[in-house]
Amino acid sequence: MTGVSETRGTAADPLRTRLAAACAAAATVGAGLGLRAVAAGDVAKYGGDALYTVLLLTLVVALAPRASPPAAAGSALAVSWAVEFLQLSPVPADLSRRSAVARLVLGSTFNPPDLLWYAVGAVAGWGVHTALRAGRAGGGPGAG
């Protein structure tokens, strides 16, 4: 017998999922800013790359709350890689010179190792998303 209480808190509850994703997005931005404040060099750069993809994953989930973890992670990774490959053109560099927001979102220079770190962020986000969905479906926090 399937009742409403059995679906509460799972992917079937888009409002709750959107709220959680929005909170996760804010936390991810905070983590990225915090990382930049306390770290330098490769740790800040590549950690920021991974967090960029995690942020995109949270935004995918906010827009499509029923997206599966692999679909959300794959979408976030695809966008991250597309932005990185766009940097092979002069467009992001031109926009980045004019806008701090464009610099944060688009970057300016293609860097092949970034592709790996975006994948690290996608895998990490996939894992967290999977764990949270399993926790909700199994009666964990938020299962109502």
Side-chain angles (χ1 to χ4, degrees):
M1 180 170 161
T2 302
V4 173
S5 64
E6 292 177 33
T7 61
R8 217 181 273 159
T10 66
D13 188 350
L15 183 59
R16 184 176 289 188
T17 301
R18 282 190 169 107
L19 180 59
C23 290
T28 302
V29 170
L33 294 173
L35 181 63
R36 288 268 180 183
V38 301
D42 287 347
V43 171
K45 180 179 179 0
Y46 296 125
D49 288 346
L51 287 170
Y52 179 84
T53 302
V54 170
L55 175 62
L56 289 174
L57 188 150
T58 65
L59 296 175
V60 167
V61 173
L63 292 172
R66 290 188 173 97
S68 69
S75 297
L77 183 58
V79 171
S80 297
W81 282 353
V83 168
E84 189 67 28
F85 283 111
L86 181 64
Q87 293 170 0
L88 291 169
S89 78
V91 173
D94 290 342
L95 293 173
S96 293
R97 278 192 288 277
R98 292 185 235 163
S99 166
V101 173
R103 187 170 38 259
L104 289 171
V105 173
L106 299 175
S108 61
T109 307
F110 179 77
N111 185 29
D114 290 351
L115 300 170
L116 168 69
W117 291 101
Y118 295 140
V120 168
V123 169
W126 181 346
V128 171
H129 189 192
T130 298
L132 291 172
R133 284 182 71 157
R136 285 183 174 178

